[in-house]
Amino acid sequence: MDFQAGILQDGSPMESLEKQLICPICLEMFTKPVVILPCQHNLCRKCANDVFQASNPYWQSRGSVISGGRFRCPSCRHEVLLDRHGVYGLQRNLLVENIIDIYKQECSSRPLKKGEHPMCKEHEDERINIYCVTCEVPTCSMCKVFGAHKDCEVAPLQTVFQGQKTELNNCISMLVAGNDRIQTIISQLEDSCRSTEENSEAAKRELCARFDALAALLEEKKSELLQRIAHEQGDKTGFVQGLIHQYKEQLEKSSRLVETAIQAMEETGGAAFLMNAKQLIKTIVEASKGGRLEKIEHGYESMDAFSVSLDHLAEAVRALDFDPAEEDEEYFDGEEEEAEE
């Protein structure tokens, strides 16, 4: 930002207003805010486009005919549907823009209060105004000239502050996009679990209908095959439920890390922010490079393998099994030879 955000303290109305004008993605004052219908939450147009592109990675490479897409509001998780214009089809919030302009003018006319800048522990009268690149800590000019950092490489505090804040902002955007992808995978896994259960029930109904036609002779075999279907269903749904649990745990950990990072972004003092930013960025990067969880293969929920044909003779009933492809071929080959004779 090009103005002194957070100048007003002690819970003033302007401070409360400032919190309402912060984008939940970049944690900076809104830039060209847009209205996300129908939930009415605001985002910077660039931030909205970043979230949209993360949720629709192939949106710009679909040829000359561009269709719409969707993404979730980072504030309330409401699903937003967009037309072929994408984010640029959303309405700009001119009221919020005017409020931001008035707020900037008000803040630019107020000086920074004394006592709000961290002071050096070694030189109590010196403000922390430079950053030691060698030791990776903020310090003061006296420490560079006479103190512990006189042989170290230093850089302007504001330069490092802006650099690491930008890096942390990118990490937050990366986590938000990753969380949206995880949520999509969880939804797909839940759909897969439901499809597995529905297909299992359909296979059971079909099997029962065929066995009922053969009456008591088929009852024992029917029970055996039903148990196999139920066992397969239990194995598959148990495995998918386990994956869902793992993904939800990863999402919860990542969400907590996002909250921690957002709290850090609310720090307006460069020195105070830099004291914890480096480790927090490292933690986020390590979490983003964490192990990839297992996924299910395409068609995992299918129960087509549990299908039998009851068109053969009653003598073959006791040898029935799922998918008797080879036995059926031998049986029907023999039947064709008898018919030819």
Side-chain angles (χ1 to χ4, degrees):
M1 293 184 292
D2 56 353
F3 56 91
Q4 295 291 339
I7 290 178
L8 304 177
Q9 304 294 328
D10 301 327
S12 65
M14 290 297 288
E15 182 182 10
S16 300
L17 175 62
E18 177 188 353
K19 295 180 180 179
Q20 300 300 320
L21 301 178
I22 297 300
C23 173
I25 297 298
C26 64
L27 300 181
E28 299 287 349
M29 199 71 71
F30 285 119
T31 303
K32 295 182 180 179
V34 295
V35 176
I36 304 176
L37 298 177
C39 66
Q40 297 297 315
H41 287 119
N42 293 294
L43 287 178
C44 298
R45 176 170 292 172
K46 179 180 181 303
C47 296
N49 190 59
D50 291 341
V51 176
F52 175 71
Q53 293 293 340
S55 301
N56 304 269
Y58 302 106
W59 185 76
Q60 292 183 340
S61 59
R62 295 179 179 173
S64 58
V65 180
I66 300 178
S67 61
R70 63 184 64 194
F71 68 97
R72 293 184 181 275
C73 172
S75 297
C76 65
R77 307 304 299 165
H78 181 86
E79 187 174 58
V80 182
L81 302 178
L82 301 181
D83 58 16
R84 62 187 182 87
H85 299 291
V87 172
Y88 292 92
L90 294 173
Q91 179 183 357
R92 286 178 61 178
N93 194 331
L94 299 180
L95 175 60
V96 172
E97 292 190 59
N98 293 334
I99 294 175
I100 290 175
D101 291 338
I102 296 173
Y103 177 83
K104 290 181 179 180
Q105 294 175 4
E106 177 68 19
C107 290
S108 62
S109 63
R110 295 175 178 265
L112 188 66
K113 294 181 179 180
K114 294 183 178 180
E116 294 179 354
H117 196 289
M119 308 300 289
C120 179
K121 293 182 179 180
E122 299 295 331
H123 308 90
E124 297 181 355
D125 295 332
E126 293 292 327
R127 294 176 18 165
I128 294 179
N129 56 359
I130 59 174
Y131 186 82
C132 178
V133 178
T134 305
C135 302
E136 298 183 340
V137 293
T139 185
C140 72
S141 301
M142 295 297 292
C143 288
K144 170 59 181 172
V145 177
F146 304 106
H149 302 283
K150 62 180 180 180
D151 297 324
C152 299
E153 179 184 356
V154 296
L157 187 68
Q158 189 66 18
T159 301
V160 182
F161 167 69
Q162 292 295 339
Q164 292 197 11
K165 199 163 189 178
T166 300
E167 185 178 355
L168 182 57
N169 176 60
N170 294 335
C171 291
I172 293 175
S173 300
M174 178 174 58
L175 284 176
V176 171
N179 289 348
D180 195 64
R181 287 192 293 270
I182 292 176
Q183 184 62 52
T184 300
I185 293 175
I186 291 175
S187 299
Q188 293 173 348
L189 289 174
E190 291 174 343
D191 292 340
S192 175
C193 186
R194 286 191 295 268
S195 297
T196 300
E197 293 174 351
E198 292 172 358
N199 293 339
S200 298
E201 293 301 321
K204 290 179 182 180
R205 290 192 297 269
E206 180 182 359
L207 191 63
C208 288
R210 295 193 178 189
F211 269 83
D212 288 344
L214 296 179
L217 182 63
L218 302 179
E219 287 297 326
E220 182 179 355
K221 181 59 70 173
K222 179 180 69 174
S223 299
E224 175 189 344
L225 298 182
L226 282 174
Q227 290 177 3
R228 291 181 59 182
I229 290 179
H231 183 268
E232 181 68 11
Q233 175 188 348
D235 289 346
K236 286 190 174 183
T237 55
F239 177 73
V240 174
Q241 291 287 2
L243 285 182
I244 292 175
H245 179 71
Q246 294 177 28
Y247 275 103
K248 285 184 176 180
E249 284 186 343
Q250 180 174 333
L251 178 61
E252 182 180 356
K253 292 179 181 178
S254 183
S255 298
R256 288 199 300 266
L257 193 54
V258 169
E259 293 176 0
T260 302
I262 290 176
Q263 292 176 359
M265 290 296 295
E266 292 177 354
E267 178 59 54
T268 58
F273 172 84
L274 291 174
M275 291 180 177
N276 299 315
K278 192 70 178 180
Q279 182 61 37
L280 182 56
I281 292 172
K282 182 183 297 184
T283 302
I284 292 176
V285 172
E286 291 176 355
S288 302
K289 295 179 180 179
R292 299 294 185 265
L293 298 178
E294 189 176 359
K295 300 180 181 179
I296 61 175
E297 299 178 355
H298 178 71
Y300 176 83
E301 64 274 15
S302 174
M303 302 293 289
D304 293 341
F306 296 90
S307 176
V308 297
S309 175
L310 302 178
D311 297 332
H312 36 73
L313 300 177
E315 291 78 7
V317 169
R318 297 190 181 278
L320 282 176
D321 202 349
F322 289 111
D323 194 21
E326 297 181 358
E327 290 81 358
D328 281 353
E329 291 179 359
E330 295 176 0
Y331 175 81
F332 287 114
D333 288 345
E335 192 177 54
E336 292 176 356
E337 292 176 1
E338 292 178 0
E340 292 177 357
E341 292 176 357

